[in-house]
Amino acid sequence: MNPVQDTKAPLLRVVDLVKDFAVKRGRFSQESATVHAVDRVGFEVGVGETLGIVGESGCGKSTTGRCILRLTEPTSGEVWLESTNVTTADPKTLRGLRRQMQIVFQDPFASLNPRMTVGDIVGEALIIHGLEDSPQRRRERVADLLKTVGLNADHMDRYPHEFSGGQRQRVGIARALAVQPRVVVCDESVSALDVSVQAQVINLLQDLQEQYGLTYLFIAHDLSVVEHISDRVAVMYLGRVVEIASARALYASPLHPYTEALLSAVPVPDPKAARKRIMLSGEVPSAMNPPTGCHFHPRCPVRQLPLCANERPELKTVADGHQVACHLRS
Ligand code: SF4
């Protein structure tokens, strides 16, 4: 599979990434099975670009993000940050790479230590990476970071439970920014927030991107959330990327039947512009036992049998930067 071509210089390159997990077949079973969480995923992200990754729960999008940072070890494939192979990096190189690639998690309750003050949480990253030894200068740097994400420097001595969900997410962003990363993986970072707070955090992320030239991988299950922040969007289904295109092309003319169905469910302000709702039959199949051929074929309203059940559709370029994995659309 060829990673998508982009006009901007690629900063991050993911090539044929695979992650399989061994699991027990049932609670009382000794038999093991393999969950194919990520199945030959490939893409590139340019400097200062935002790639949105969307798909239903369990489609492998978060595992992809974690494999890129090697918070989860990939089974095979490669991740490159410019000319450094992240997947084969030794522990010392990996420490340096971790400084360049940070993550903001979905659940600020779970990702912030409740026993640490916000100042210690944000300052800890500076200590770990040896960026600021002086406690006084560290406090000043933390104060600056808190102001940068729209918090008050006086908040430094408070604990996470004293903040709202949106403020806690800002603390998570400040912690990620502390080490001056180049790539930030936003893993469902706004999914747990109210819609109005989501918009504020997305605006903040966009401002920070402009200010610091950040590159984002923005993971979400909701297409409407990624639309405003993404330059390009990759749609995943059962571990595979099924479509990848510029946000404008994907929202205006989706090519994959799964993307069409997802988009038809996105509410639009003008009822006259609403798409005809495409109802998919059945549930997303288990990644332990995915359907043969095109994973989407049991639910696809336009499948052609036996072709779709027998042959995996590869991701192919059909227009400038627009790739789709469908036998009928490529
Ligand atoms: Fe549907 Fe076949 Fe295309 Fe899969 S390959 S999306 S089953 S038409």
Side-chain angles (χ1 to χ4, degrees), residues 227-241:
E227 181 174 5
H228 298 294
I229 194 167
S230 304
D231 297 299
R232 287 184 303 130
V233 177
V235 178
M236 287 187 71
Y237 186 79
L238 267 186
R240 296 176 180 171
V241 172

Side-chain angles (χ1 to χ4, degrees), residues 256-258 294-298 300-304 308 311 313 325-329:
H256 197 280
Y258 177 60
C294 172
H295 283 351
F296 187 56
H297 85 261
C300 179
V302 294
R303 65 178 173 256
Q304 279 197 2
C308 296
E311 282 183 37
C326 171
H327 293 306
L328 304 192
R329 307 285 163 90

Side-chain angles (χ1 to χ4, degrees), residues 193-233:
L193 306 174
D194 291 344
V195 175
S196 61
V197 183
Q198 267 186 1
Q200 290 167 11
V201 174
I202 286 177
N203 286 343
L204 169 67
L205 288 168
Q206 285 177 314
D207 290 347
L208 296 172
Q209 181 169 46
E210 225 165 84
Q211 214 174 326
Y212 300 108
L214 297 169
T215 299
Y216 290 142
L217 216 57
F218 194 88
I219 298 168
H221 58 267
D222 188 339
L223 265 171
S224 56
V225 169
V226 298
E227 181 174 5
H228 298 294
I229 194 167
S230 304
D231 297 299
R232 287 184 303 130
V233 177

Side-chain angles (χ1 to χ4, degrees), residues 153-289:
D154 298 342
H155 290 161
M156 200 180 316
D157 298 316
R158 296 193 192 168
Y159 290 86
H161 73 268
E162 296 177 68
F163 293 88
S164 68
Q167 287 175 320
R168 270 194 288 261
Q169 204 51 294
R170 287 174 191 264
V171 173
I173 294 167
R175 178 175 58 181
L177 280 187
V179 296
Q180 298 171 312
R182 303 171 74 195
V183 177
V184 179
V185 175
C186 301
D187 186 9
E188 301 266 16
S189 305
V190 298
S191 302
L193 306 174
D194 291 344
V195 175
S196 61
V197 183
Q198 267 186 1
Q200 290 167 11
V201 174
I202 286 177
N203 286 343
L204 169 67
L205 288 168
Q206 285 177 314
D207 290 347
L208 296 172
Q209 181 169 46
E210 225 165 84
Q211 214 174 326
Y212 300 108
L214 297 169
T215 299
Y216 290 142
L217 216 57
F218 194 88
I219 298 168
H221 58 267
D222 188 339
L223 265 171
S224 56
V225 169
V226 298
E227 181 174 5
H228 298 294
I229 194 167
S230 304
D231 297 299
R232 287 184 303 130
V233 177
V235 178
M236 287 187 71
Y237 186 79
L238 267 186
R240 296 176 180 171
V241 172
V242 295
E243 185 163 5
I244 185 164
S246 69
R248 198 182 318 150
L250 192 109
Y251 286 83
S253 20
L255 292 177
H256 197 280
Y258 177 60
T259 314
E260 286 173 349
L262 282 184
L263 275 175
S264 77
V266 172
V268 289
D270 177 6
K272 287 194 206 121
R275 295 165 194 267
K276 188 166 177 290
R277 182 80 195 261
I278 301 168
M279 301 300 292
L280 293 177
S281 57
E283 297 292 315
V284 182
S286 162
M288 214 188 290
N289 192 17

Side-chain angles (χ1 to χ4, degrees), residues 71-205:
L71 297 174
T72 297
E73 284 296 331
T75 304
S76 64
E78 291 174 0
V79 176
W80 291 81
L81 184 72
E82 283 181 331
S83 57
T84 308
N85 189 336
V86 179
T87 24
T88 56
D90 58 40
K92 187 165 171 260
T93 311
L94 192 57
R95 264 198 303 283
L97 288 168
R98 289 255 164 82
R99 195 187 144 188
Q100 298 188 59
M101 298 197 292
Q102 287 285 304
I103 186 163
V104 178
F105 294 102
Q106 170 177 8
D107 186 356
F109 289 89
S111 63
L112 303 178
N113 186 334
R115 286 184 291 276
M116 286 170 76
T117 65
V118 158
D120 287 342
I121 288 169
V122 178
E124 189 182 38
L126 298 170
I127 299 173
I128 290 172
H129 291 279
L131 298 176
E132 193 50 83
D133 292 334
S134 150
Q136 180 52 35
R137 280 202 298 273
R138 204 159 51 236
R139 269 185 83 79
E140 286 163 12
R141 176 89 182 104
V142 170
D144 283 346
L145 283 161
L146 292 180
K147 280 189 243 163
T148 303
V149 298
L151 294 172
N152 194 319
D154 298 342
H155 290 161
M156 200 180 316
D157 298 316
R158 296 193 192 168
Y159 290 86
H161 73 268
E162 296 177 68
F163 293 88
S164 68
Q167 287 175 320
R168 270 194 288 261
Q169 204 51 294
R170 287 174 191 264
V171 173
I173 294 167
R175 178 175 58 181
L177 280 187
V179 296
Q180 298 171 312
R182 303 171 74 195
V183 177
V184 179
V185 175
C186 301
D187 186 9
E188 301 266 16
S189 305
V190 298
S191 302
L193 306 174
D194 291 344
V195 175
S196 61
V197 183
Q198 267 186 1
Q200 290 167 11
V201 174
I202 286 177
N203 286 343
L204 169 67
L205 288 168

